[in-house]
Amino acid sequence: MVMPTSRPSVEPAPAQRPGLYIPGGLLSQSVHAKISCTDCHQDAKGALPHKQKLTPVSCDTGCHQSAQSDNLQGVHAEAVAKKAPHAPTCVTCHGSHDIFPKANRQSRIHPLNIVKICGDCHAQHQTPADGFDGQKHIDNYRGSVHGKAIMKGGMSIAATCADCHSNHRVLPAKDPRSTVSRDRIAGTCGKCHTGVSETFATSIHGQLLAKGDANAPVCSDCHTAHQISRTDTPAFMLDIVNECGHCHDKPLPGSPAGRTLYASYRESYHGQVTRLGMERAARCSSCHGAHDVKRVTDADSRLNDQRRIETCRQCHKGADVKFAAYQAHADPSNMQRSPVLWGVRWYFIIMMSAAFGFFGLHSVLWFSRSLYERMKHGSHKRHHGGPAIKRFSRTDRINHAFVIISFFGLTITGLPLLYADQGWGRELVLFLGGPRSAGVLHRCFAVMLILNFVVHGVGIVSRVRKHGVRKIFFGPASMLPRIKDFTDCFGMWKWFFVGGKKPKFDRWTYWEKFDYVAEVGGSGIIGLTGLMLWFPVFFSQYMPGWMFNVAQYVHGYEALLAIGFIFTIHFFNAHLRMEKFPVDDVMFTGSLPEEEFKEERGVEYERLLASGELDKLRVKTPPRAYRVAAVIAGITAMVVGTTLVVLIILAGLKVL
């Protein structure tokens, strides 16, 4: 209002009535500049000043009938009708006298302002009876790619609340008329993402949606509703597998173990390293596509026989037809789907059951008999001091040291792959610097194992040339099984149950020979399959792609067999049995007290004594420091190994 100028200057101006003063300039800039006050406030016509409380204005009075009609169908009008607190009206969003065009930066509904308008209101609706958490939705949107573009980037073209939920007819997603309902959300997103929408419409997902399939995925199933992130971020790339798994987690036909596409992928190398946090590994979308997913039988599918090689070559340059035969969803439990892998799986079931069953019982009975003998006759006498007999050369000990280092290194860097679904597996990878760093370390230890394997082979050849094939492979000091080993084994089992005297052993016992043959054979198998997985494109020139499924399975379970056996049976045989507890230091010191040697290797002792070779093997007792170092190293190895075995067992029992 403009005050009269005819009044005396000494007379004070009347006080403004709070809430009623509207600057003239404000109205002249608004969309209502060309209409008068009484066009809206019709009950203000007549004598001025008008009454203080005017009837609320109805915006549909000949002007905004369409918008008002849409609003009356939405949840906002429903809230107003129920007199819900903070229920929004036209004024809440558009303002009252300061209504500006949407394109005007001052407008409340300008794209850079409307998010605040919606957010301020919905932030007050935190977890009501219907479970709607408005604050959470607002926070999720602000952290999304759309919200950041608006709030931080100032991009007025980014999607706002109104772009997705519409301006006036705001309806819940469960309402089929809603712009964010399952049947309509693809079209809503397509207003901005035109190209993606067109591609999605031709995909198997889009076709299923068009047919009314209630299980067909829509945009929000993969990208979420409010917490939409960039698709090139590590978090999205690693989580998309889980999103696909929500739908594709149904048992495969003919799978007795109930394996699903999701589970079979997780068990593959791609799935394992993805779960460990490597975003470079192939994900579902890497092979099947993202918005252009087609049935494999479709000519346009990325996995069609004509395009499969092209898809593989995205990551594996030089891949050929044989390489493309790799089964991304192989099922070891399904004989019809993966017959060779099914056979390999049963081989390991039988082999592991036999090995752990026989030697596990062997260890339990040995411990029980030793405990009984100790209780009956007292502690076993340990021999210290006096002359010692050389058992291993420096080369043998260094070789064994590299075996220990490479074995522990491969175990610690490789186990997380087999147990990528376990928290301790992921934590172990983080400790190693991430999946890529763990992979590099694993390959370094693999090279060490291969070199050690080669050195050992050269050593055998050298001994054969020096002593002849017969003595090395078939003589009393041979590491290969002989008839005596079977009689010794029978004698030990007899001692377990009956007691009396143990068998007299030669250079090697039957359990040591089993360890050796298993270690050499296992190292060869693990090494070969590891090289196949390391250089798949090269090896695919000579073998079909499904062999890499076999290689992965064999590599993992042969390693698991070795880990379980070494960290339980071997630890007991070498260190934890009462005669040797806590550590057998012969491989560390290279020698054994003569009395202990005579007691443990009676046959070899008598043979060396008779041939006069025993004198050549007598050496001084190693310094005590050697024994101390051996105990520290041995206990450390057993603590680490036992801990890993416990974690493996708990994982198998689904405790972790």
Side-chain angles (χ1 to χ4, degrees):
M1 296 179 62
V2 179
M3 306 303 296
T5 57
S6 58
R7 293 176 181 267
S9 60
V10 295
E11 186 177 344
Q16 296 176 5
R17 296 167 64 184
L20 295 181
Y21 182 74
I22 306 300
L26 184 64
L27 288 172
S28 65
Q29 299 176 45
S30 73
V31 295
H32 294 154
K34 295 182 179 180
I35 64 175
S36 66
C37 302
T38 54
D39 287 336
C40 295
H41 299 286
Q42 296 184 13
D43 55 343
K45 293 180 179 179
L48 294 175
H50 57 73
K51 58 184 180 180
Q52 184 172 1
K53 291 186 177 181
L54 298 177
T55 303
V57 173
S58 177
C59 298
D60 67 336
T61 309
C63 296
H64 303 290
Q65 292 179 341
S66 177
Q68 184 69 358
S69 175
D70 286 343
N71 180 66
L72 289 173
Q73 298 177 59
V75 293
H76 290 161
E78 182 182 345
V80 171
K82 293 180 179 179
K83 297 182 180 181
H86 313 298
T89 63
C90 306
V91 173
T92 306
C93 301
H94 295 276
S96 54
H97 301 94
D98 55 344
I99 301 175
F100 299 100
K102 179 180 178 180
N104 190 313
R105 185 67 178 85
Q106 300 181 67
S107 172
R108 291 191 178 193
I109 59 172
H110 184 275
L112 300 185
N113 298 330
I114 194 169
V115 174
K116 185 177 186 306
I117 296 298
C118 297
D120 288 347
C121 185
H122 282 275
Q124 301 175 60
H125 302 292
Q126 296 188 44
T127 320
D130 60 1
F132 179 83
D133 190 340
Q135 183 65 59
K136 181 178 180 180
H137 286 324
I138 295 301
D139 291 341
N140 287 342
Y141 172 81
R142 286 172 177 166
S144 72
V145 64
H146 292 154
K148 289 178 179 178
I150 290 285
M151 310 294 289
K152 296 182 179 181
M155 297 177 63
S156 59
I157 61 171
T160 64
C161 312
D163 290 321
C164 300
H165 293 277
S166 80
N167 297 317
H168 298 99
R169 194 170 68 163
V170 180
L171 297 168
K174 61 183 179 181
D175 192 316
R177 299 170 300 163
S178 171
T179 54
V180 293
S181 67
R182 291 189 61 83
D183 293 338
R184 300 184 65 186
I185 194 169
T188 298
C189 296
K191 290 188 299 182
C192 296
H193 303 280
T194 308
V196 171
S197 179
E198 293 172 350
T199 302
F200 175 79
T202 64
S203 71
I204 181 62
H205 293 157
Q207 292 171 0
L208 290 174
L209 183 65
K211 293 178 181 178
D213 190 327
N215 296 318
V218 296
C219 312
S220 55
D221 288 322
C222 301
H223 296 277
T224 73
H226 296 96
Q227 204 171 4
I228 301 172
S229 64
R230 290 179 60 94
T231 58
D232 57 354
T233 60
F236 182 86
M237 290 190 289
L238 294 174
D239 191 58
I240 192 63
V241 175
N242 294 326
E243 297 301 331
C244 296
H246 289 159
C247 295
H248 299 283
D249 200 21
K250 298 177 182 178
L252 291 167
S255 176
R259 275 186 171 82
T260 66
L261 285 173
Y262 175 70
S264 63
Y265 168 79
R266 282 301 195 193
E267 292 172 358
S268 71
Y269 172 77
H270 293 151
Q272 291 170 342
V273 293
T274 297
R275 180 167 280 181
L276 291 176
M278 179 177 282
E279 64 271 14
R280 288 182 58 192
R283 303 172 299 282
C284 311
S285 55
S286 303
C287 301
H288 294 275
H291 302 101
D292 57 338
V293 180
K294 308 275 188 179
R295 292 189 184 278
V296 177
T297 54
D298 193 311
D300 293 328
S301 170
R302 296 188 183 194
L303 294 177
N304 183 273
D305 291 340
Q306 303 303 316
R307 299 187 61 192
R308 189 182 183 95
I309 300 175
E310 177 187 341
T311 299
C312 293
R313 285 176 178 169
Q314 293 178 116
C315 299
H316 302 279
K317 306 301 180 185
D320 58 12
V321 176
K322 290 183 178 179
F323 182 94
Y326 172 76
Q327 299 176 358
H329 295 285
D331 185 359
S333 65
N334 191 328
M335 185 172 64
Q336 287 73 33
R337 185 181 180 87
S338 309
V340 177
L341 205 56
W342 179 86
V344 171
R345 173 174 175 265
W346 272 103
Y347 163 80
F348 276 104
I349 290 176
I350 295 171
M351 175 60 72
M352 295 176 79
S353 299
F356 286 108
F358 180 86
F359 281 102
L361 181 60
H362 185 277
S363 299
V364 171
L365 293 176
W366 192 344
F367 177 80
S368 300
R369 170 52 64 177
S370 296
L371 182 61
Y372 174 79
E373 294 292 335
R374 171 170 288 195
M375 294 172 63
K376 184 177 181 180
H377 303 292
S379 300
H380 177 77
K381 183 179 179 181
R382 301 298 297 270
H383 303 279
H384 299 287
I389 303 299
K390 183 178 180 180
R391 292 281 292 164
F392 299 104
S393 67
R394 180 176 298 177
T395 302
D396 293 331
R397 287 146 56 198
I398 293 175
N399 187 275
H400 189 267
F402 277 108
V403 169
I404 295 174
I405 294 171
S406 60
F407 186 81
F408 270 88
L410 289 169
T411 297
I412 292 172
T413 57
L415 265 184
L417 271 181
L418 280 176
Y419 294 94
D421 60 330
Q422 299 293 311
W424 61 265
R426 294 189 290 273
E427 290 297 326
L428 186 53
V429 161
L430 290 177
F431 173 77
L432 295 170
R436 188 176 302 178
S437 174
V440 171
L441 290 172
H442 192 73
R443 287 163 176 79
C444 290
F445 288 116
V447 171
M448 184 185 297
L449 174 68
I450 293 171
L451 292 176
N452 192 65
F453 194 78
V454 171
V455 169
H456 181 66
V458 171
I460 292 177
V461 172
S462 176
R463 290 173 184 173
V464 168
R465 294 178 63 183
K466 183 177 180 180
H467 301 288
V469 173
R470 183 177 182 83
K471 183 175 182 180
I472 295 300
F473 291 108
F474 304 102
S478 172
M479 287 295 292
L480 299 179
R482 299 190 302 153
I483 295 177
K484 176 173 168 45
D485 296 307
F486 293 96
T487 58
D488 286 347
C489 181
F490 178 79
M492 278 293 285
W493 281 82
K494 181 180 179 181
W495 178 71
F496 293 156
F497 290 103
V498 179
K501 291 185 178 181
K502 294 181 186 177
K504 287 186 176 183
F505 297 109
D506 209 321
R507 171 75 176 175
W508 307 108
T509 64
Y510 61 88
W511 64 83
E512 291 170 338
K513 290 186 177 184
F514 183 87
D515 283 357
Y516 173 78
V517 172
E519 194 275 333
V520 172
S523 295
I525 293 171
I526 292 171
L528 178 59
T529 54
L531 287 172
M532 288 175 59
L533 298 173
W534 191 354
F535 304 104
V537 175
F538 171 78
F539 281 95
S540 68
Q541 299 176 65
Y542 310 101
M543 56 186 65
W546 56 263
M547 279 295 294
F548 297 104
N549 295 102
V550 175
Q552 183 196 347
Y553 198 91
V554 170
H555 189 77
Y557 280 89
E558 184 68 31
L560 194 61
L561 172 59
I563 291 168
F565 198 89
I566 293 297
F567 291 161
T568 55
I569 308 301
H570 178 73
F571 275 177
F572 174 81
N573 291 341
H575 306 298
L576 298 179
R577 54 191 172 101
M578 292 186 180
E579 300 91 326
K580 293 294 183 180
F581 185 84
V583 169
D584 183 359
D585 60 1
V586 65
M587 187 52 76
F588 297 93
T589 63
S591 63
L592 192 66
E594 184 169 345
E595 289 300 317
E596 192 169 341
F597 174 66
K598 179 179 179 180
E599 180 180 311
E600 288 189 1
R601 315 282 166 164
V603 175
E604 183 184 19
Y605 178 83
E606 292 171 1
R607 187 180 68 254
L608 293 175
L609 184 63
S611 65
E613 296 180 59
L614 190 64
D615 291 336
K616 300 177 183 178
L617 297 175
R618 285 194 176 94
V619 294
K620 293 182 179 179
T621 302
R624 180 171 176 75
Y626 281 37
R627 169 70 180 174
V628 174
V631 170
I632 294 174
I635 291 178
T636 302
M638 286 187 285
V639 168
V640 173
T642 303
T643 300
L644 291 174
V645 168
V646 170
L647 291 173
I648 291 171
I649 293 173
L650 293 178
L653 296 175
K654 307 297 183 183
V655 174
L656 296 177

